[in-house]
Amino acid sequence: MYLSTRSKMKTTGAKAILKGLSDDGGLYVLDQLDPNFFNEALLSLSYQELAVVLFTELLDDYSVSEIIKVVNDSYNDTNFPNDIVKMKHFNGHSYLELYHGNTFAFKDMALSALPNLFKQAKEIQNETNKTVILTATSGDTGSAALNGFSTVEDTYVIVLYPTKGVSEFHEFQMNAFQSDKNIVIAVDSNFDDCKT
């Protein structure tokens, strides 16, 4: 079960994914997690295997077969043509590379899975309405959301981004996703105003 950070409102994982925020404006957080869940056995798993184990633990209203489908549809050669994640070692330091997705942003890690979790949540909840994803971004979230949800039927994405503070690269990348399913809007202000 998931709880709102602003009250004790409870909901399931699928409902939390579909709603985004709780009715009281709070974020949904997991109400409990087995304290022994994170252990050394997880270190030997591939990224996909780890995702299956993690999603199975966090989303008890999804079946294991539904989760395996989500992971296979999310973390594959189409979304990550080279590697999903890579660890580099240099001068005694280790660096985790999280930029191998389609938009070169670490947000691709989550926004490759979220659309597939979302599609599955709609099936679990027998939800057939069209959906609008509304997001504000200072750059990389917009492109990752637009890319991730691009193949989800009956789902539309509106991205607000500030004219002050977004890079030329991100602005160009987001606007390249304009379509009848996606609307990208430049707000003549800053990121806080976009969020508001």
Side-chain angles (χ1 to χ4, degrees):
M1 294 299 289
Y2 285 79
L3 296 174
S4 168
T5 55
R6 293 193 178 171
S7 69
K8 297 299 180 198
M9 292 177 64
K10 285 189 174 186
T11 193
T12 65
K15 286 181 183 176
I17 286 170
L18 290 177
K19 287 196 65 74
L21 295 173
S22 79
D23 290 336
D24 60 13
L27 300 174
Y28 285 116
V29 294
L30 193 64
D31 66 343
Q32 62 182 354
L33 182 66
D34 178 356
N36 299 313
F37 175 74
F38 293 104
N39 58 66
E40 287 192 26
L42 299 177
L43 297 175
S44 63
L45 301 178
S46 70
Y47 191 86
Q48 292 92 334
E49 291 167 336
L50 181 60
V52 168
V53 170
L54 187 62
F55 289 155
T56 301
E57 180 72 16
L58 299 178
L59 301 167
D60 60 0
D61 51 339
Y62 286 68
S63 70
V64 173
S65 62
E66 288 169 336
I67 288 176
I68 290 170
K69 179 174 179 5
V70 164
V71 169
N72 289 339
D73 290 346
S74 304
Y75 301 112
N76 54 42
D77 291 342
T78 301
N79 292 331
F80 297 91
N82 297 312
D83 294 302
I84 298 172
V85 293
K86 196 182 273 186
M87 183 74 76
K88 295 281 179 132
H89 307 282
F90 182 73
N91 283 349
H93 297 282
S94 296
Y95 300 90
L96 184 62
E97 294 180 353
L98 297 175
Y99 56 80
H100 294 283
N102 287 327
T103 70
F104 314 110
F106 77 92
K107 307 276 176 77
D108 288 326
M109 303 305 297
L111 284 163
S112 292
L114 181 59
N116 293 308
L117 289 167
F118 192 86
K119 281 193 290 193
Q120 197 59 55
K122 286 183 90 167
E123 287 184 29
I124 290 168
Q125 295 298 313
N126 294 315
E127 177 64 56
T128 57
N129 291 330
K130 292 180 179 181
T131 305
V132 175
I133 307 293
L134 175 62
T135 188
T137 184
S138 56
D140 53 359
T141 300
S143 297
L146 291 160
N147 179 70
F149 280 96
S150 64
T151 61
V152 181
E153 287 184 31
D154 292 331
T155 301
Y156 304 84
V157 179
I158 300 172
V159 175
L160 305 174
Y161 72 91
T163 55
K164 300 170 186 157
V166 78
S167 72
E168 277 186 45
F169 173 80
H170 284 126
E171 184 174 27
F172 178 82
Q173 192 179 48
M174 285 185 287
N175 281 292
F177 284 103
Q178 291 272 20
S179 72
D180 58 351
K181 282 187 57 157
N182 300 323
I183 300 172
V184 180
I185 302 169
V187 177
D188 190 18
S189 191
N190 58 36
F191 178 53
D192 288 335
D193 288 336
C194 290
K195 289 190 296 185
T196 301

